[in-house]
Amino acid sequence: MRGISVDGKTVQVGVVVTAASAALSGLVGLWTWGGWSAAGVAVFASVTTSLLTWGIIARWAQRTADSLRQPGWSSATSPREGPFGCLIDVAAEHLRSIESRLQREVRHRLELEALVQVRSQKVRRLEMAFSALDTPVLVTDSEDRILYCNPAALRLFGRGDKDGAEEAFESLDLASLPALRDLVLETRLRASATSQRSTELELSVGGEVIAYRGKAVNVYGEGGVHLGVVTVLSDIRDERLAKTRHAEFVSAVSHEMKTPLASIKAFIEMLMDGDVADPEEQQELYGFIDAQVDRLTRMINSMLNLARIESGVIKIQRQDCELNEQLEKAADVIRPVAEEKQIRFVTELSELYLPVHVDPELFGQAIINLLSNAVKYTPSGGEVRLRSRMEEDQAVIEVRDTGMGIPEDSLPHIFDRFYRVPENNKAASGTGLGLALVHYIITDVHNGSIRVTSRVDEGTCFTLKLPLGHLEPKRRTERVLCSA
Ligand code: ADP
């Protein structure tokens, strides 16, 4: 036996051994009573006392062990009895403090885990949002090293759409795009003066030079520590093109208006100075002035129409229509003009019901413009033909004439604003805006296409294609049934 054993069996054995020892000591005492009386009694007494003490201690140990086995023994706060009670109280107190520290740590760990999860979801969402952007976005650190690039920015570095693994960013270098590097560098160096910089830059992407507006913003951490720069690049090619077109348009308008205005001014001066005394000649000059005023009016009206449609002032009201109905309406407007000029006007419309979703006003105006041109640039005795047919999922419209045609080198410019074929100028007056309007109405407003083929002195054919179908399928069925 080593030290104080605490299991029940040992205690029982101890009690039995104690009893046996006591009995043995008694016998020794009795035996020695006659011979060695005093020493025998002393030995008997000490052995008996030791054994009894050992038995009592073993019993306390047993009780202590039993109480330690109780669940929640450490949470009892009242002082424990017995010789080991104070030791157990101290151990219990230590245990309680360890338990509460452990609980705090576990709670803290769970909170941290939840926070990390929320943060990583937030970062993932942001990354996905940046990935969906066509606008390049890149983040650099306080030493201009690239920390993040969205796929659009990766394309700038010729990395295709490779997803932004961090190792991939490490190999990217701003030095390959000097204009971008300068913007980032200047933004960082002037951080104390201004938090952001914006500039226009041209970057070479895949052999193509693209104009961007770069906006770089300094990023600060806690305590104002500079963390780096976030740069966003917006493609401004369309903006530049629009500016150029606008400038070209203004210059073309001024040019086009100058000529009739100069003529009007010259004729009026002649009349005012009395240079033309003959009433017949005067009438002729009035006639010229009137014609120039008409030309200016037509030009202004055409420009206003175009500007109103493009700027959205005229609200586009597309609706489900039947194509041939619309074509018939336009034909009715032009037929008398053609007859007056002794031009054979033929309509050859499809027998099928051709459902289209168009703005009747604008679409009608486009067809009238084409028919009117066909009549204008076809000499008397010629023919103008309006046709419609179905081709797969498209409606095809043809405006064909047997007129003077358009020279090959003029064909690429035919839809440009103010463009007039020099060879055809004398055949009819015009503004050079009619076909630009037709092109806008068919392609931009109705998602269709327009194509022209022509041969000088043989004739011209404009072919339009529009998506077939109504927006509301139910109405389409009803109409199909009606027309059947
Ligand atoms: P315009 O008011 O001068 O007719 P458009 O924009 O309608 O302006 O047409 C541009 C030019 O295209 C015309 O000036 C004319 O020279 C040429 N053109 C258009 N349609 C035809 C056609 N059917 N046949 C020959 N030339 C045409």
Side-chain angles (χ1 to χ4, degrees):
M1 189 184 296
R2 190 165 51 89
I4 299 168
S5 171
V6 289
D7 70 42
K9 227 177 204 170
T10 314
V11 172
Q12 280 169 10
V13 171
V15 171
V16 170
V17 169
T18 307
S21 304
L24 189 66
S25 302
L27 286 174
V28 171
L30 284 174
W31 176 69
T32 54
W33 185 255
W36 333 358
S37 58
V41 170
V43 169
F44 172 74
S46 83
V47 169
T48 309
T49 309
S50 306
L51 289 173
L52 280 173
T53 307
W54 183 85
I56 290 165
I57 290 172
R59 185 126 189 91
W60 282 339
Q62 168 66 36
R63 278 199 194 148
T64 306
D66 285 348
S67 80
L68 288 177
R69 281 198 194 94
Q70 297 297 316
W73 67 274
S74 61
S75 47
T77 45
S78 54
R80 287 175 179 79
E81 291 169 358
F84 302 133
C86 61
L87 291 176
I88 296 168
D89 283 345
V90 172
E93 204 178 307
H94 275 301
L95 204 63
R96 278 201 299 274
S97 98
I98 289 169
E99 266 175 6
S100 77
R101 244 184 21 229
L102 197 69
Q103 275 172 8
R104 271 204 310 276
E105 293 299 328
V106 168
R107 233 188 353 258
H108 188 55
R109 198 185 141 185
L110 289 175
E111 279 170 11
L112 279 180
E113 275 176 5
L115 199 68
V116 166
Q117 206 178 357
V118 169
R119 290 262 162 94
S120 59
Q121 280 173 1
K122 210 167 166 181
V123 169
R124 185 80 196 118
R125 273 198 284 269
L126 281 174
E127 269 183 3
M128 286 179 76
F130 282 131
S131 298
L133 285 179
D134 287 331
T135 308
V137 179
L138 76 156
V139 182
T140 44
D141 67 8
S142 54
E143 286 169 28
D144 302 339
R145 284 183 302 238
I146 295 174
L147 295 178
Y148 172 77
C149 270
N150 70 347
L154 281 172
R155 285 195 287 275
L156 285 180
F157 292 96
R159 295 293 171 99
D161 274 344
K162 267 181 229 157
D163 206 356
E166 268 175 44
E167 313 81 64
F169 302 143
E170 279 169 17
S171 62
L172 300 176
D173 190 2
L174 276 182
S176 61
L177 297 167
L180 183 58
R181 182 202 51 202
D182 292 350
L183 171 64
V184 172
L185 188 72
E186 279 177 38
T187 308
R188 183 169 61 77
L189 293 179
R190 295 192 182 183
S192 54
T194 170
S195 62
Q196 61 182 55
R197 276 178 72 74
S198 178
T199 184
E200 286 188 9
L201 31 103
E202 284 176 354
L203 301 175
S204 169
V205 185
E208 188 192 354
V209 176
I210 300 181
Y212 286 102
R213 178 170 299 107
K215 188 173 175 185
V217 183
N218 284 302
V219 182
Y220 299 95
E222 275 175 31
V225 182
H226 189 263
L227 295 181
V229 176
V230 173
T231 310
V232 181
L233 300 168
S234 330
D235 189 332
I236 52 166
R237 277 177 295 181
D238 287 350
E239 205 178 296
R240 281 202 178 172
L241 199 68
K243 266 190 198 165
T244 316
R245 279 209 188 130
H246 183 73
E248 280 171 7
F249 182 69
V250 171
S251 117
V253 170
S254 334
H255 177 76
E256 290 301 317
M257 288 197 161
K258 250 195 219 153
T259 320
L261 279 174
S263 320
I264 292 170
K265 190 166 169 51
F267 294 147
I268 288 178
E269 273 173 7
M270 282 165 76
L271 288 166
M272 281 168 58
D273 292 349
D275 291 347
V276 187
D278 180 20
E280 242 179 62
E281 279 183 33
Q282 282 180 356
Q283 281 307 312
E284 205 180 329
L285 284 188
Y286 287 130
F288 281 136
I289 292 171
D290 192 42
Q292 294 304 333
V293 171
D294 279 352
R295 188 173 165 212
L296 278 174
T297 311
R298 272 200 309 273
M299 198 183 291
I300 289 167
N301 284 341
S302 303
M303 276 185 328
L304 278 178
N305 271 346
L306 200 58
R308 280 193 193 127
I309 297 169
E310 279 185 345
S311 63
V313 174
I314 292 184
K315 218 165 169 270
I316 294 161
Q317 290 173 322
R318 290 176 69 175
Q319 46 186 269
D320 291 344
C321 304
E322 203 282 309
L323 179 71
N324 292 328
E325 244 174 58
Q326 302 303 315
L327 296 180
E328 287 283 13
K329 277 187 198 163
D332 288 346
V333 175
I334 295 299
R335 194 172 284 113
V337 187
E339 277 166 8
E340 198 181 320
K341 205 179 163 187
Q342 288 160 1
I343 290 173
R344 207 165 90 88
F345 187 77
V346 185
T347 51
E348 207 179 295
L349 303 182
S350 164
E351 288 188 355
L352 293 172
Y353 177 92
L354 299 175
V356 284
H357 189 68
V358 296
D359 179 319
E361 275 297 311
L362 294 179
F363 179 69
Q365 189 174 347
I367 301 297
I368 289 172
N369 275 8
L370 290 174
L371 289 174
S372 150
N373 275 350
V375 171
K376 257 175 20 178
Y377 300 104
T378 299
S380 300
E383 183 188 282
V384 170
R385 192 173 284 260
L386 174 65
R387 299 168 78 183
S388 70
R389 62 174 188 280
M390 190 171 118
E391 241 177 53
E392 294 173 355
D393 57 349
Q394 289 187 309
V396 181
I397 303 140
E398 262 180 29
V399 177
R400 187 183 286 276
D401 65 57
T402 56
M404 54 187 56
I406 301 167
E408 212 179 319
D409 55 347
S410 287
L411 284 175
H413 310 288
I414 206 77
F415 297 111
D416 293 352
R417 284 164 201 202
F418 299 112
Y419 184 79
R420 305 200 67 216
V421 176
E423 292 85 343
N424 299 356
N425 245 349
K426 284 195 189 121
S429 57
T431 59
L433 287 168
L435 284 182
L437 189 62
V438 172
H439 189 270
Y440 186 81
I441 291 174
I442 298 301
T443 59
D444 290 73
V445 178
H446 291 103
N447 312 321
S449 65
I450 181 165
R451 198 166 61 87
V452 57
T453 51
S454 186
R455 267 174 189 272
V456 175
D457 294 333
E458 284 184 23
T460 304
C461 179
F462 286 90
T463 309
L464 280 58
K465 288 188 179 175
L466 284 183
L468 260 181
H470 280 166
L471 196 66
E472 295 170 47
K474 201 168 154 232
R475 252 167 73 187
R476 178 182 166 185
T477 326
E478 282 167 9
R479 286 237 192 147
V480 171
L481 287 176
C482 290
S483 71

